[in-house]
Amino acid sequence: MLPVASALPFSQALMAAPDSPRGALAREIEKGRDADIARLREWIALPSIAAENRNMREGAQYMAGLARDAGFTGVEVIATDGHPGVFGVMDNGAPTTLGLYFMYDVKQFDPAEWSSPPLEGRIVDKPGWGSALVGRGAINQKGPEATLLAGLHAMRRAGIRPPVNLVLLAEGEEEIGSPHFRQLATHARVLPALKKCAGIFIPACWQGPDGEVSINLGAKGVVELELVASGKAWGRGPTGDIHSSNKASVDSPVWRLVQALQTLVTPDGNTAAIDGWFENVRPLTAREKELIAISAASSDEAKVKQMMGVTHWIDDLPFEQAIERQASQPTVNIEGLVAGYTGPGGKTILPGKAVAKLDLRLVPNQTRAEAERKLRAHLDAHGFPDVEMNVSGGYDPTEVSENARLIKAQEKAYAAMGVKANLYPRLAGSWPGSTFTAPPVSIPATQFGIGHGSGAHAPDEYFVIDSTNPKVAGMSGAALGFVELIYQLAAT
């Protein structure tokens, strides 16, 4: 097992047993540290943004190159009806096969909002954490993925064959709701390889300030969409922008959209009010409530609030009830509103069009198809048939048994590293794990990793390279953490 001395930073603790296979790998990871950081910085400098159709072909080719360099064979870029994906295998002659899910796309960014250039990968000091690399994709998801690749590079240099076979599947549309990912997973060459896997995971580096991690037994589903109100579709109001003095006699598509949005939630905006929205929602089980209570008791509420930048939970709920809502409740969230003039000063116009960007988070036993159908029916029934609904992507919720082999291997890996890990019902965020857990693939799917980063989708997104917190791994420790999981799965 990987030796970790709790009083030492991970970078030192990894060297505690230099004669063991893990010790040899730790030395190789340290030797390759500069190259691993350079690889991550170069990857961040090439942003693939599906929403903007930016560098998608280049991003897929770069991902394919990363896979080949790490030892994957038969690597190919696979076309879909949208943006391409990447597939590769690593046959190590092992009886067990593990799947790796990667995404090579990132969210949009505005450089003016960043304190460090978003494509430069500059390393800065993060008080309380250590030195961190700042850039778009640093934690979501290129940093963790590059760290896993660093572990594979170290194994190759050390002449150590991984004790499991690996299957890699990477997509470029995760940040727009993975609209074509099922095409990749069910491709004639991909599906047979995936079905051999004992499970699949997405690399993550989400340690909290006390070194804690969650083993998520699922994730919420999501629907990403736009609602559009326009004078043209409504038949009222202007078809384009006109002078605001005309509001005295002309209807406003912007207010039309606001009124439609108000029907989707309760007056405080905290609970979905879409007709029939909760009829298939599965209540938390007794076991899930038990896991939440354990997680709440072992977490520092003040630190959680500080990391999120909040001072209150909904309705001033106690911490346990707040995170119970996070795990159990479907949500209707406005992620952006666009209408009329938004520059400096005023422009006194009556806009002819307004757009709301929404994401709907889903819990078991909701489905994406049900959510889309009910939202459309709700808008129509409440007198808004003209409000357009443009869905860009989404997928169902994910559930995994706590007795799954991959989950047990994660528990053993974290324990071997001295990392406090709590089982948790489901990730409040979303990823297309349901593509794997549902037929025809039907394998467990989850996240795994030590290390730390934050700021996903936000300015100044970062990933810790050298940790000053003795309970949190830096990049080298996180790389060895992924190797530990591989060994634990082989032995489970």
Side-chain angles (χ1 to χ4, degrees):
M1 300 304 173
L2 173 67
V4 172
S6 60
L8 294 174
F10 271 79
S11 59
Q12 297 176 33
L14 295 175
M15 309 301 289
D19 295 332
S20 70
R22 312 295 207 281
L25 284 173
R27 290 195 302 274
E28 286 299 329
I29 288 172
E30 287 295 332
K31 289 178 184 177
R33 179 180 179 279
D34 290 345
D36 295 334
I37 295 171
R39 186 183 304 115
L40 174 56
R41 294 186 71 184
E42 186 177 79
W43 197 5
I44 283 176
L46 178 65
S48 298
I49 302 175
E52 299 174 350
N53 193 22
R54 179 177 178 182
N55 296 328
M56 299 311 299
R57 181 179 298 178
E58 295 86 348
Q61 292 293 342
Y62 192 87
M63 180 72 251
L66 289 174
R68 294 187 187 99
D69 290 345
F72 289 90
T73 61
V75 177
E76 59 179 314
V77 175
I78 298 178
T80 72
D81 291 341
H83 299 302
V86 178
F87 168 68
V89 299
M90 187 185 295
D91 186 353
N92 296 309
T96 297
T97 300
L98 173 64
L100 304 174
Y101 168 82
F102 276 26
M103 50 183 278
Y104 67 85
D105 65 320
V106 298
K107 275 294 186 187
Q108 307 93 310
F109 58 89
D110 179 357
E113 297 177 341
W114 291 61
S115 64
S116 178
L119 303 183
E120 187 175 304
R122 186 177 297 174
I123 295 178
V124 304
D125 180 61
K126 283 285 179 182
W129 297 106
S131 61
L133 187 148
V134 176
R136 176 53 86 220
I139 187 60
N140 185 27
Q141 208 68 36
K142 291 179 178 179
E145 292 167 352
T147 301
L148 187 149
L149 295 177
L152 295 180
H153 277 279
M155 297 186 85
R156 293 187 77 186
R157 291 194 303 270
I160 298 174
R161 184 186 294 267
V164 300
N165 309 314
L166 297 172
V167 174
L168 172 68
L169 188 61
E171 69 160 319
E173 296 184 329
E174 201 279 344
E175 295 294 13
I176 58 170
S178 304
H180 303 100
F181 186 57
R182 185 176 173 83
Q183 293 180 15
L184 289 174
T186 58
H187 187 277
R189 288 185 292 281
V190 176
L191 180 59
L194 287 177
K195 290 182 73 67
K196 295 177 183 178
C197 294
I200 191 166
F201 77 95
I202 178 172
C205 293
W206 297 336
Q207 277 187 290
D210 291 325
E212 73 279 9
V213 297
S214 292
I215 300 176
N216 295 303
L217 301 176
K220 288 185 177 180
V222 71
V223 183
E224 293 199 59
L225 62 110
E226 290 182 344
L227 294 183
V228 183
S230 66
K232 181 179 180 181
W234 188 18
R236 306 181 66 88
T239 56
D241 296 350
I242 61 175
H243 196 280
S244 65
S245 63
N246 292 296
K247 181 64 199 79
S249 57
V250 178
D251 291 301
S252 167
V254 180
W255 282 115
R256 175 77 170 165
L257 179 61
V258 169
Q259 291 162 354
L261 292 171
Q262 288 176 329
T263 72
L264 304 183
V265 291
T266 52
D268 59 9
N270 291 334
T271 302
I274 298 170
D275 298 339
W277 196 245
F278 286 88
E279 65 183 4
N280 292 324
V281 169
R282 176 178 64 74
L284 291 174
T285 65
R287 175 58 173 161
E288 288 172 332
K289 290 183 178 180
E290 178 186 8
L291 294 176
I292 289 171
I294 293 171
S295 179
S298 61
S299 300
D300 188 321
E301 180 181 7
K303 289 182 179 179
V304 173
K305 284 182 173 179
Q306 183 180 21
M307 286 181 62
M308 296 177 67
V310 302
T311 56
H312 296 271
W313 303 121
I314 283 175
D315 298 327
D316 291 320
L317 291 173
F319 186 41
E320 183 177 330
Q321 289 180 253
I323 61 175
E324 186 173 299
R325 271 188 62 94
Q326 195 171 37
S328 66
Q329 295 299 297
T331 61
V332 177
N333 177 59
I334 300 174
E335 58 186 50
L337 285 170
V338 184
Y341 178 69
T342 59
K347 199 179 178 183
T348 58
I349 59 169
L350 170 54
K353 179 180 178 180
V355 179
K357 295 179 180 291
L358 274 64
D359 60 69
L360 316 174
R361 302 283 174 174
L362 312 177
V363 300
N365 292 320
Q366 291 180 297
T367 67
R368 171 191 171 179
E370 171 201 0
E372 292 179 23
R373 182 177 66 253
K374 287 181 174 177
L375 175 57
R376 182 68 269 172
H378 173 94
L379 290 169
D380 292 348
H382 286 258
F384 299 97
D386 56 283
V387 173
E388 300 172 47
M389 177 176 147
N390 302 322
V391 178
S392 58
Y395 33 81
D396 294 346
T398 303
E399 290 194 277
V400 181
S401 169
E402 65 179 283
N403 295 315
R405 182 180 176 189
L406 179 58
I407 298 299
K408 292 300 182 183
Q410 288 192 35
E411 290 182 296
K412 292 178 180 179
Y414 286 130
M417 295 184 291
V419 173
K420 181 175 68 175
N422 293 317
L423 288 172
Y424 194 73
R426 69 186 54 87
L427 180 70
S430 306
W431 73 294
S434 61
T435 303
F436 303 116
T437 57
V441 183
S442 303
I443 60 174
T446 186
Q447 311 87 36
F448 176 85
I450 56 176
H452 175 78
S454 189
H457 299 188
D460 292 344
E461 179 181 356
Y462 70 90
F463 176 60
V464 172
I465 300 296
D466 292 310
S467 175
T468 55
N469 184 332
K471 297 180 180 180
V472 176
M475 186 176 185
S476 295
L480 200 53
F482 290 125
V483 174
E484 184 66 36
L485 176 63
I486 289 174
Y487 275 96
Q488 291 293 349
L489 181 66
T492 300

